[in-house]
Amino acid sequence: VSTAKATINKIGQSSFAGEMQINNTLDVDDTLTIKNDTTTDGKVTINPAGAGETITVQGGIYIRNEGDLNASITRGGVAYFRSSVSSGGPITGTGDGSFGGTLKVAGGTELNSSFIIKEGTATKASISSDGNASFGGTLKVLEGTELNNSFIIKNGSNTKASISSDGNASFGGTLK
């Protein structure tokens, strides 16, 4: 029966039966891999000499401050940030996205498809990629409006009023 708690063989390989403590700096000449036995769950590899991936984490990353979760990236790629995300360049993505609060945009906004505003499942307003717009409530214009074609007011399929691009107007009721 062996009672050795640590071994270092003649080529420098070591084995520790318990915790190894390093009081100052750990200097690794090439790659450092931290893992649990032979499984890849929770494996961290630091490889400064490699081109491309310098730090590889197999498993999730969780950043905590005294137990409080401040940020995380799960194994599936879902990211969480307690405070905010900022970027010095564009933020791009594919697939669906969602925001639990208000999305504020400073500057121009470009969409490659339709813009839809919903309350629950009910569509309240939309602007489609072909330029057509629909509003479930009142459209208010606070300043002068310029139209490049006709202006038509309908109730269902019935035209109630129109002003055409040649200046002619018609009203289905009394003009006051």
Side-chain angles (χ1 to χ4, degrees), residues 70-160:
N70 290 329
S72 66
I73 302 174
T74 67
R75 296 172 190 268
V78 176
Y80 162 80
F81 297 90
R82 182 179 187 158
S83 181
S84 64
V85 176
S86 60
S87 170
I91 297 175
T92 60
T94 58
D96 294 336
S98 63
F99 294 86
T102 301
L103 173 62
K104 296 179 181 180
V105 179
T109 302
E110 181 178 322
L111 302 172
N112 293 327
S113 190
S114 299
F115 180 74
I116 300 170
I117 299 172
K118 290 188 171 189
E119 184 178 319
T121 59
T123 298
K124 296 297 185 176
S126 68
I127 303 172
S128 64
S129 58
D130 63 4
N132 290 317
S134 170
F135 299 89
T138 303
L139 172 63
K140 294 181 180 180
V141 179
L142 301 178
E143 297 291 332
T145 301
E146 181 178 319
L147 300 172
N148 294 326
N149 208 332
S150 299
F151 180 72
I152 300 170
I153 300 172
K154 289 187 173 189
N155 184 358
S157 61
N158 298 321
T159 299
K160 296 297 183 179

